[in-house]
């Protein structure tokens, strides 16, 4: 069973997931704080390069399985045209209503 986008409790995370799933680069950029950082499987990556490769040019999509009580952690089935589908975990840091850091990896 997946959690609907409107059931995500943290507005910044909801904006991030909505933009990712719709392939909306502008909305995704707007969901991120200036200078936002990220890591993939424990290794820091360049946000612009990673998101273009893993999300936008490869049809990335998240189906949310569950969220943490604070709304800043997700487990999702993530799929894209490069890697297929995998169960992933996501952790977000939010500052001023925007995602300032996200960390993802296999769950």
């Amino acid at each position: 069973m997946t959690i609907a986008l409107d059931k995500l409790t943290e507005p910044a995370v909801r904006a991030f997931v909505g933009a990712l799933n719709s392939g909306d680069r502008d909305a995704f950029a707007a969901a991120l704080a200036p200078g936002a950082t990220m890591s993939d499987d424990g290794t820091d990556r360049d946000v612009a390069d990673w998101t273009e490769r893993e999300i936008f040019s490869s049809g990335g999509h998240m189906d949310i399985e569950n969220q943490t009580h604070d709304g800043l952690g997700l487990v999702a089935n993530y799929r894209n045209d490069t890697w297929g589908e995998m169960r992933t975990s996501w952790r977000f840091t939010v500052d001023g209503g925007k995602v300032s850091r996200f960390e993802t990896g296999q769950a």
Side-chain angles (χ1 to χ4, degrees):
M1 187 163 130
T2 60
I3 298 174
L5 182 64
D6 64 355
K7 301 298 185 201
L8 296 178
T9 56
E10 170 54 54
V13 172
R14 190 167 53 244
F16 178 101
V17 173
L20 186 156
N21 283 349
S22 66
D24 187 333
R25 287 175 173 88
D26 292 337
F28 189 85
L32 298 178
T37 61
M38 59 94 44
S39 71
D40 182 3
D41 284 328
T43 302
D44 277 16
R45 305 285 186 192
D46 177 85
V47 173
D49 176 64
W50 188 92
T51 56
E52 181 58 35
R53 187 178 65 253
E54 300 291 339
I55 298 171
F56 298 114
S57 67
S58 62
H61 189 87
M62 298 171 76
D63 290 321
I64 310 302
E65 276 186 21
N66 59 56
Q67 65 180 323
T68 57
H69 180 71
D70 63 6
L72 295 174
L74 303 175
V75 173
N77 285 315
Y78 186 79
R79 66 181 179 273
N80 68 22
D81 297 339
T82 303
W83 304 108
E85 186 168 312
M86 66 187 78
R87 192 164 187 259
T88 56
S89 64
W90 298 75
R91 185 80 192 152
F92 298 90
T93 303
V94 174
D95 291 311
K98 306 262 186 189
V99 172
S100 60
R101 181 168 177 82
F102 65 97
E103 298 171 352
T104 186
Q106 292 194 49

